[in-house]
Amino acid sequence: MREVIIATKNPGKVKEFQAFFEKRSIQVTSLLDVEELDDVVEDGETFEDNAIKKAETIGKALGKPVIADDSGLEVDALNGAPGVYSARYAGNMKSDQANNEKLLRELKGVPGEERTARFVCVLAVYLPGTNSSVFRGTCEGKIAEEKKGEHGFGYDPLFYVPSKNKMMAELTREEKNEISHRANALTQLDNQWDSLLNH
């Protein structure tokens, strides 16, 4: 394999995958590099549903290997919400600030020990002629009562990482890449990559 397409238009995500595949001499391209495709409607009930749908729809349209991810936040006190709706939790305008404010409202009065949560990243790998393989990475933490930190995006300013004793938004990119849900999923993909290709 010489090329893999990452089903995203997010340059930050593309860089993470480029670093991963560089050691394998595999060129990484993204949806920023291919001809205009219709957006895949992410209407699945799980991260797995959405990631597989994206990978297979784009992979079959282009006839090339595709990796798609779907990720978000699961809060135990909210029965796993916002889950697959993480990006549009407060509405379709996808505002990080509005999403964080809604999360704080929903958790008002919930004591610290009950504010457990995790970031989830599911990677779906589609190779032409095969069924998609799925890898699920998580990062455990708690939802704080106020935002802190200048790095990252999304819910990072509210997500406390016990292993680092910091908020996700206080971590450097290098620190985040050591413990993040996406790094966790990529490690699993790394361990299985050769056997995937052999199949």
Side-chain angles (χ1 to χ4, degrees), residues 63 81 99 107 109-110 126 132 158 164 179 195:
N99 288 338
L107 288 174
V110 176
Y126 171 77
S132 294
L158 284 176
K164 296 288 188 182
I179 55 94
S195 64

Side-chain angles (χ1 to χ4, degrees), residues 44-57:
E45 293 185 8
T46 66
F47 296 119
E48 284 81 1
D49 290 342
N50 286 333
I52 290 170
K53 183 178 181 183
K54 269 193 286 192
E56 293 187 352
T57 301

Side-chain angles (χ1 to χ4, degrees), residues 47 70-74 118-122 136-139 181:
F47 296 119
D70 196 33
S71 52
L73 179 71
E74 293 180 342
R118 71 205 48 79
F119 278 124
V120 177
C121 173
V122 171
R136 183 183 179 96
T138 60
C139 178
H181 46 310

